[in-house]
Amino acid sequence: MRYIRFTVLIAALLAAVPGTVSGRGLNKLLKSKNTENIYQAALDYYRNKKFRNAALCFEAVYNDLYSTDRADTILFYTSKAYYNQGIYDVAADGFDQYRKAFSRRPFAEEAEYLLPMCWYRLSRPAERDQTETRKAITTFNEYLNRHPESIKAEDIRQILEELQAKLYEKEFINASLYFKLQRYPASVAALRYSLKDTPETPYRETMMYLICKSWYNYAKNSIPARKLDRYMKMVDSYYNFRSEFPESEDYLKELDKMFAEAQSYVDNNQQAAVDIEKDRIGAESLKESIKQQKAKLRTISDQIERNQAKIKLKQDEAALKAQQARIKSEARKLKKSDSKNRKNDDRASNENETPVLEVK
């Protein structure tokens, strides 16, 4: 047989046959090398739903009849015999070969339909790899494009909805994994990419909720210098969620509480954080200026000019120290305020314990 996967299975099937009376008869028939008798026996086995024996006989004569008008019949029935045994991966190979080699033959349409059915049968649960699911979707759509008026069209569309739902679930599982691992920046990136790639996903509301909660959790566990920016991003994400799902029953109540905390932090600390950022930028600029002045000082030979450069350098170094002191002072205030807020939050949570909302 020219199709290797079939041949490997024949060896396995033959090994299982000899223990039965009909198996001994089949072995004798196959050893007879009588092509016509074996071919007719294959058809009889198939009609009687003895698909394993039918596959063995069809395989045995395929090479002898490859160049005849029976070749397409043998390939189709062999593939369908494997399909009826539930050996879908091998059957898929055969149907794929048939539609490419015999696209104008009588069984072509059925082979084009059974090929995606094989991948559909092989499709795994959403938690596992979805290669077969994607192959099923692709080949079902190819069938519909070639046979839009087929009586199977409506059933196929229902199957396509089922398969697409599985891909949406798989995409959601992958995107939400980083949230479960508490890797919040990666969680936001993965969720946003998934929403951009599949904006029509039925998990859109939950994914946008997880983006809000990722920023909230990330900000809550950040150092004071990074808190403000992350709370502000949580606020932006909250507004995006509320604009799309203003009446969300699953998440809005919880998000409103997170938003209130984030907005309160932003209102109370925004100016201090802005001042720190301005001082930080100024300090970086002064550092660079001092570095350049020191390099230039080495090249000045005139004593008066050199003295003036030294005075300017000392002034800038004093300004840098003052700026760094202000940054530390403001950072301590932020840290003290953050520590006070944490104590209040812990006290409130101990007084009013609430269960953690499970991700839907």
Side-chain angles (χ1 to χ4, degrees), residues 210-348:
L210 289 177
I211 290 174
C212 293
K213 194 160 186 179
S214 292
W215 281 126
Y216 174 81
N217 289 346
Y218 193 33
K220 202 170 182 65
N221 295 293
S222 296
I223 60 172
R226 297 285 184 267
K227 247 181 210 303
L228 179 67
D229 177 62
R230 290 161 188 173
Y231 269 133
M232 290 176 71
K233 287 175 178 174
M234 184 275 157
V235 170
D236 289 341
S237 300
Y238 169 83
Y239 283 130
N240 290 336
F241 179 93
R242 195 174 184 97
S243 67
E244 282 203 39
F245 305 101
E247 299 179 0
S248 172
E249 296 180 357
D250 295 323
Y251 305 120
L252 201 53
K253 187 175 180 180
E254 182 187 4
L255 286 179
D256 284 343
K257 292 180 181 178
M258 289 191 284
F259 167 75
E261 182 181 338
Q263 188 64 59
S264 174
Y265 187 93
V266 171
D267 292 342
N268 293 334
N269 298 282
Q270 188 168 13
Q271 189 56 51
V274 168
D275 291 342
I276 288 175
E277 185 63 16
K278 284 182 178 178
D279 285 338
R280 188 189 65 78
I281 294 171
E284 290 297 324
S285 177
L286 269 176
K287 279 183 185 179
E288 185 61 29
S289 175
I290 289 169
K291 182 179 177 181
Q292 292 175 0
Q293 289 178 51
K294 286 181 178 179
K296 186 177 179 181
L297 189 62
R298 299 189 195 100
T299 64
I300 298 174
S301 55
D302 183 78
Q303 191 61 39
I304 296 175
E305 187 179 352
R306 186 178 178 83
N307 289 338
Q308 290 175 341
K310 284 183 178 180
I311 293 170
K312 177 70 167 61
L313 180 60
K314 286 182 180 180
Q315 290 174 341
D316 285 351
E317 287 176 336
L320 177 61
K321 286 182 180 179
Q323 224 160 27
Q324 289 173 333
R326 278 199 305 274
I327 292 171
K328 288 180 180 179
S329 175
E330 291 294 336
R332 279 195 295 270
K333 289 179 183 178
L334 269 180
K335 190 172 183 179
K336 187 176 180 181
S337 173
D338 184 58
S339 178
K340 184 178 179 181
N341 289 336
R342 280 178 177 269
K343 287 179 181 178
N344 291 337
D345 290 343
D346 291 342
R347 192 179 300 115

Side-chain angles (χ1 to χ4, degrees), residues 39-59:
Y39 176 75
Q40 293 302 326
L43 294 175
D44 289 338
Y45 280 131
Y46 189 89
R47 292 189 197 101
N48 293 315
K49 298 184 179 181
K50 295 181 178 180
F51 299 116
R52 185 181 65 175
N53 291 355
L56 289 169
C57 291
F58 280 129
E59 291 280 359

Side-chain angles (χ1 to χ4, degrees), residues 38 95 163 275 322 353:
I38 296 173
F95 291 131
L163 295 171
D275 291 342
E353 291 186 1

